[in-house]
PDB file of all heavy atoms in Angstrom:
ATOM      1  N   ASN A 744     -18.295 -10.216   9.491  1.00  0.00           N
ATOM      2  CA  ASN A 744     -17.470 -10.889   8.549  1.00  0.00           C
ATOM      3  C   ASN A 744     -15.956 -10.499   8.811  1.00  0.00           C
ATOM      4  O   ASN A 744     -15.717  -9.398   9.332  1.00  0.00           O
ATOM      5  CB  ASN A 744     -17.762 -10.343   7.083  1.00  0.00           C
ATOM      6  CG  ASN A 744     -19.220 -10.846   6.684  1.00  0.00           C
ATOM      7  OD1 ASN A 744     -19.782 -11.752   7.346  1.00  0.00           O
ATOM      8  ND2 ASN A 744     -19.697 -10.215   5.574  1.00  0.00           N
ATOM      9  N   ASP A 745     -15.133 -11.368   8.519  1.00  0.00           N
ATOM     10  CA  ASP A 745     -13.649 -11.139   8.604  1.00  0.00           C
ATOM     11  C   ASP A 745     -13.052 -10.574   7.389  1.00  0.00           C
ATOM     12  O   ASP A 745     -13.375 -10.938   6.239  1.00  0.00           O
ATOM     13  CB  ASP A 745     -12.913 -12.472   8.978  1.00  0.00           C
ATOM     14  CG  ASP A 745     -13.293 -12.985  10.400  1.00  0.00           C
ATOM     15  OD1 ASP A 745     -13.483 -12.198  11.312  1.00  0.00           O
ATOM     16  OD2 ASP A 745     -13.476 -14.226  10.554  1.00  0.00           O
ATOM     17  N   PHE A 746     -12.096  -9.714   7.594  1.00  0.00           N
ATOM     18  CA  PHE A 746     -11.359  -9.074   6.439  1.00  0.00           C
ATOM     19  C   PHE A 746     -10.456 -10.174   5.750  1.00  0.00           C
ATOM     20  O   PHE A 746      -9.737 -10.913   6.534  1.00  0.00           O
ATOM     21  CB  PHE A 746     -10.536  -7.916   7.053  1.00  0.00           C
ATOM     22  CG  PHE A 746      -9.615  -7.279   6.032  1.00  0.00           C
ATOM     23  CD1 PHE A 746      -9.942  -6.113   5.318  1.00  0.00           C
ATOM     24  CD2 PHE A 746      -8.335  -7.830   5.726  1.00  0.00           C
ATOM     25  CE1 PHE A 746      -9.115  -5.545   4.404  1.00  0.00           C
ATOM     26  CE2 PHE A 746      -7.465  -7.185   4.774  1.00  0.00           C
ATOM     27  CZ  PHE A 746      -7.918  -6.103   4.120  1.00  0.00           C
ATOM     28  N   VAL A 747     -10.500 -10.182   4.474  1.00  0.00           N
ATOM     29  CA  VAL A 747      -9.660 -11.052   3.669  1.00  0.00           C
ATOM     30  C   VAL A 747      -8.572 -10.223   2.942  1.00  0.00           C
ATOM     31  O   VAL A 747      -7.360 -10.426   2.976  1.00  0.00           O
ATOM     32  CB  VAL A 747     -10.343 -11.971   2.716  1.00  0.00           C
ATOM     33  CG1 VAL A 747      -9.415 -12.757   1.841  1.00  0.00           C
ATOM     34  CG2 VAL A 747     -11.289 -12.927   3.475  1.00  0.00           C
ATOM     35  N   GLY A 748      -9.045  -9.207   2.226  1.00  0.00           N
ATOM     36  CA  GLY A 748      -8.134  -8.404   1.492  1.00  0.00           C
ATOM     37  C   GLY A 748      -8.862  -7.201   0.771  1.00  0.00           C
ATOM     38  O   GLY A 748     -10.089  -7.231   0.707  1.00  0.00           O
ATOM     39  N   GLN A 749      -8.128  -6.217   0.343  1.00  0.00           N
ATOM     40  CA  GLN A 749      -8.767  -5.057  -0.280  1.00  0.00           C
ATOM     41  C   GLN A 749      -7.821  -4.432  -1.146  1.00  0.00           C
ATOM     42  O   GLN A 749      -6.642  -4.587  -1.211  1.00  0.00           O
ATOM     43  CB  GLN A 749      -9.255  -4.098   0.802  1.00  0.00           C
ATOM     44  CG  GLN A 749      -8.191  -3.295   1.522  1.00  0.00           C
ATOM     45  CD  GLN A 749      -7.704  -1.987   0.796  1.00  0.00           C
ATOM     46  OE1 GLN A 749      -8.488  -1.416   0.164  1.00  0.00           O
ATOM     47  NE2 GLN A 749      -6.360  -1.796   0.917  1.00  0.00           N
ATOM     48  N   PHE A 750      -8.374  -3.640  -2.106  1.00  0.00           N
ATOM     49  CA  PHE A 750      -7.637  -2.731  -2.946  1.00  0.00           C
ATOM     50  C   PHE A 750      -8.434  -1.403  -3.222  1.00  0.00           C
ATOM     51  O   PHE A 750      -9.642  -1.466  -3.556  1.00  0.00           O
ATOM     52  CB  PHE A 750      -7.144  -3.351  -4.242  1.00  0.00           C
ATOM     53  CG  PHE A 750      -6.154  -2.573  -5.063  1.00  0.00           C
ATOM     54  CD1 PHE A 750      -4.878  -2.517  -4.720  1.00  0.00           C
ATOM     55  CD2 PHE A 750      -6.599  -1.849  -6.203  1.00  0.00           C
ATOM     56  CE1 PHE A 750      -3.962  -1.776  -5.471  1.00  0.00           C
ATOM     57  CE2 PHE A 750      -5.684  -1.125  -6.941  1.00  0.00           C
ATOM     58  CZ  PHE A 750      -4.371  -1.095  -6.571  1.00  0.00           C
ATOM     59  N   THR A 751      -7.848  -0.331  -3.088  1.00  0.00           N
ATOM     60  CA  THR A 751      -8.498   1.042  -3.190  1.00  0.00           C
ATOM     61  C   THR A 751      -7.715   1.845  -4.215  1.00  0.00           C
ATOM     62  O   THR A 751      -6.483   1.931  -4.147  1.00  0.00           O
ATOM     63  CB  THR A 751      -8.625   1.790  -1.850  1.00  0.00           C
ATOM     64  OG1 THR A 751      -9.239   0.880  -0.993  1.00  0.00           O
ATOM     65  CG2 THR A 751      -9.423   3.061  -1.992  1.00  0.00           C
ATOM     66  N   LEU A 752      -8.500   2.488  -5.113  1.00  0.00           N
ATOM     67  CA  LEU A 752      -7.847   3.352  -6.079  1.00  0.00           C
ATOM     68  C   LEU A 752      -8.832   4.468  -6.502  1.00  0.00           C
ATOM     69  O   LEU A 752     -10.002   4.338  -6.360  1.00  0.00           O
ATOM     70  CB  LEU A 752      -7.340   2.598  -7.338  1.00  0.00           C
ATOM     71  CG  LEU A 752      -8.449   2.085  -8.291  1.00  0.00           C
ATOM     72  CD1 LEU A 752      -7.722   1.622  -9.610  1.00  0.00           C
ATOM     73  CD2 LEU A 752      -9.280   0.973  -7.803  1.00  0.00           C
ATOM     74  N   PRO A 753      -8.265   5.597  -7.088  1.00  0.00           N
ATOM     75  CA  PRO A 753      -9.142   6.698  -7.497  1.00  0.00           C
ATOM     76  C   PRO A 753     -10.041   6.180  -8.686  1.00  0.00           C
ATOM     77  O   PRO A 753      -9.495   5.419  -9.565  1.00  0.00           O
ATOM     78  CB  PRO A 753      -8.155   7.750  -7.927  1.00  0.00           C
ATOM     79  CG  PRO A 753      -6.930   7.436  -7.311  1.00  0.00           C
ATOM     80  CD  PRO A 753      -6.833   5.944  -7.161  1.00  0.00           C
ATOM     81  N   PHE A 754     -11.277   6.630  -8.760  1.00  0.00           N
ATOM     82  CA  PHE A 754     -12.147   6.177  -9.798  1.00  0.00           C
ATOM     83  C   PHE A 754     -11.559   6.657 -11.218  1.00  0.00           C
ATOM     84  O   PHE A 754     -11.600   5.830 -12.166  1.00  0.00           O
ATOM     85  CB  PHE A 754     -13.471   7.017  -9.626  1.00  0.00           C
ATOM     86  CG  PHE A 754     -14.508   6.711 -10.807  1.00  0.00           C
ATOM     87  CD1 PHE A 754     -15.278   5.559 -10.738  1.00  0.00           C
ATOM     88  CD2 PHE A 754     -14.505   7.616 -11.792  1.00  0.00           C
ATOM     89  CE1 PHE A 754     -16.113   5.372 -11.872  1.00  0.00           C
ATOM     90  CE2 PHE A 754     -15.444   7.408 -12.911  1.00  0.00           C
ATOM     91  CZ  PHE A 754     -16.207   6.227 -12.863  1.00  0.00           C
ATOM     92  N   ASN A 755     -10.977   7.819 -11.273  1.00  0.00           N
ATOM     93  CA  ASN A 755     -10.402   8.295 -12.555  1.00  0.00           C
ATOM     94  C   ASN A 755      -9.134   7.495 -12.993  1.00  0.00           C
ATOM     95  O   ASN A 755      -8.638   7.708 -14.066  1.00  0.00           O
ATOM     96  CB  ASN A 755     -10.112   9.801 -12.510  1.00  0.00           C
ATOM     97  CG  ASN A 755     -11.318  10.609 -12.689  1.00  0.00           C
ATOM     98  OD1 ASN A 755     -12.428  10.085 -13.035  1.00  0.00           O
ATOM     99  ND2 ASN A 755     -11.288  11.930 -12.506  1.00  0.00           N
ATOM    100  N   SER A 756      -8.641   6.588 -12.164  1.00  0.00           N
ATOM    101  CA  SER A 756      -7.515   5.723 -12.497  1.00  0.00           C
ATOM    102  C   SER A 756      -7.995   4.315 -12.852  1.00  0.00           C
ATOM    103  O   SER A 756      -7.097   3.401 -13.134  1.00  0.00           O
ATOM    104  CB  SER A 756      -6.516   5.740 -11.396  1.00  0.00           C
ATOM    105  OG  SER A 756      -5.994   7.031 -11.173  1.00  0.00           O
TER     106      SER A 756
END
Side-chain angles (χ1 to χ4, degrees):
N744 295 344
D745 293 320
F746 175 95
V747 175
Q749 71 85 34
F750 188 76
T751 306
L752 74 166
F754 175 85
N755 280 351
S756 296

